[in-house]
Each structure stands twice: as C-alpha cells, then as structure tokens.
Amino acid sequence: MFVTFEGIEGTGKTTQIGLLAEDLTRQGKRVAITREPGGSRIGRELRRILLSLETKDLCDRAELFLYLADRAQHVAEVVRPALADGMTVLCDRFTDSTVAYQGHGRGLSPDLLRQLNDTATGGLAPDLTIVLDIDPEIGLRRALSRNLETGAQVSEGRFEAESLAFHARVRQGYLALAAADPGRIRVVAADAAPREVFASVRAACQEAAARHG
Ligand code: TYD
C-alpha cells in the first residue's frame, strides 16, 4: 500500500509517519519511509536548492519543474521498487503538495499541475492520503521553532518565510483536494496531542487497507 502525508508546515507529519510505521511494523508489515523533496540521492540535491532561504531567484515555473524532477526520480528509484517488493510505503508529501503549493499557493493552473504530476509519476497514485489540517498561524509557529531548534532556519526556511496568506491558500487547496476526492484523501485535525491525532490516522489507514484488500 502507498500512503502519503500532506499538510502545511508544522502539522506534525514526521511524528505521525513514525507512529504509523511503528504500528504497521508491529503488525508484521515491512515499511519504507520516504519523502519529497529529497527521497533519492539526486532529490537530496534538488531539496537543498528548493528549501534554502538563499535560493532567492527561482521563478515559479522553475520551482515546479524541480519538484517534478525530484518526484520522477523518487518514484522510479524508490517508491515503485519498494511497492513491487511488497512494502508499505509511507511518503512525506507527494503530488498533492504540488497542487496545493504551486497551484493554490503560487497560482499555477491546477489542471496543468495534474497533467504534469501524472507525467512525473507515470500514473502512480497513493492508495490513501492523510491531510493533517491545522490553523496556519499555529503550524508556522511550530515550524519556525523546529527550524530554530535544528539550526535549519536558512537551509530549509524558504517556505516558512512565505506569508500567512500564502499558507492559508495552501491549506484551502488541501481542503478543496480532499472535498474533490474523498475516497482517497482523509482530513485529520492536527491540533490535538500526537497520540490523539494518531488514533484518527490509524483508523483511516485500517479502512484503506480493508478497501485495498
Ligand atoms: P518539508 O520539509 O517536507 O516540509 P515540512 O516543513 O512540512 O516538514 O519541506 C518541503 C517544502 O516543499 C514544504 O514547504 C512544501 C514544499 N513543496 C512544494 O511546494 N511542492 C511540492 O510538490 C512538494 C513535494 C513540497
């Protein structure tokens, strides 16, 4: 099964992915954890360019194509082989990030993005997508303090430096995506304690697994 996690900055995706991986491993499943951007060797180089606050002159279309390049490489090198090997793949961000950030956030056409996403993935879609939903003010505050703790304000701070209005548009983008595809996408409120949030994540995953067979 292929499960992706989405949401604005600071929703606690990493924590939830860790909890789900633990839970699935306990059930005897083999789990691969990966992420975009940066799930492959080439992708890690793209991630450095994409997230650095020092990247100041990247135009919206160039940004889009770097995310798509990262995705194409990641799907070919990591995701498809792991799925073919029977693993459950948990991925931190995937195609919906592009529609939410480059589409709703930057203003590029969602239809174009859907087509380009399809080209990048060769048609691979997640079986389940969890959107962790939080007020952008709370999310940004969390993300900024995390970056301070890890010393990543400059190396990973380019999106955290975007306005609150930008993050509010991205959040609305995710909610619109979920409303349009309720079979695949589950919205989980992320402002509760991690264990509480995880109860909903786990329930969504079990339901999807039953559907997946
Ligand atoms: P990441 O470390 O995953 O974010 P978080 O702060 O939530 O842990 O950083 C990835 C950033 O890249 C994030 O700000 C969203 C952005 N992004 C896009 O704009 N488009 C995309 O297609 C992807 C995959 C990510």
Side-chain angles (χ1 to χ4, degrees):
M1 216 169 69
F2 182 28
V3 183
T4 61
F5 284 76
E6 297 280 358
I8 61 166
E9 325 301 304
T11 53
K13 286 186 275 94
T14 310
T15 305
Q16 294 303 320
I17 289 171
L19 289 170
L20 184 58
E22 240 175 62
D23 189 59
L24 292 170
T25 305
R26 225 178 291 121
Q27 292 171 39
K29 300 219 162 59
R30 289 184 307 125
V31 178
I33 297 180
T34 187
R35 70 168 173 187
E36 290 190 359
S40 66
R41 186 186 60 76
I42 290 169
R44 279 184 282 283
E45 294 191 30
L46 297 173
R47 179 179 175 95
R48 190 178 46 75
I49 298 168
L50 280 164
L51 302 192
S52 173
L53 204 51
E54 282 161 2
T55 301
K56 292 197 192 311
D57 42 6
L58 191 63
C59 72
D60 291 353
R61 278 168 201 275
E63 178 185 270
L64 165 67
F65 282 105
L66 291 184
Y67 278 113
L68 293 168
D70 170 73
R71 182 159 305 131
Q73 186 68 29
H74 181 227
V75 167
E77 188 180 313
V78 177
V79 181
R80 280 195 194 273
L83 291 171
D85 190 31
M87 298 185 92
T88 300
V89 177
L90 307 183
C91 186
D92 188 338
R93 299 192 181 281
F94 196 59
T95 46
D96 299 306
S97 278
T98 304
V99 179
Y101 281 79
Q102 280 64 53
H104 295 262
R106 301 273 192 236
L108 296 174
S109 149
D111 280 341
L112 169 71
L113 298 180
R114 257 185 290 278
Q115 280 179 31
L116 293 175
N117 266 334
D118 237 40
T119 306
T121 63
L124 179 71
D127 299 297
L128 169 68
T129 297
I130 308 268
V131 169
L132 294 173
D133 183 50
I134 204 162
D135 182 321
E137 236 173 290
I138 301 172
L140 268 184
R141 208 178 311 129
R142 279 193 195 170
L144 287 168
S145 70
R146 174 200 57 197
N147 283 357
L148 266 178
E149 267 169 37
T150 59
Q153 311 92 292
V154 174
S155 62
E156 302 229 324
R158 201 164 68 87
F159 282 87
E160 281 80 354
E162 288 289 340
S163 67
L164 204 54
F166 174 86
H167 292 282
R169 287 199 301 279
V170 173
R171 181 198 199 185
Q172 289 313 316
Y174 277 125
L175 297 178
L177 277 165
D181 196 353
R184 171 176 68 88
I185 306 180
R186 285 294 135 86
V187 179
V188 171
D191 49 3
R195 280 280 159 196
E196 239 172 275
V197 176
F198 181 61
S200 306
V201 168
R202 189 170 193 267
C205 200
Q206 281 175 338
E207 197 193 311
R211 228 185 316 127
H212 191 252

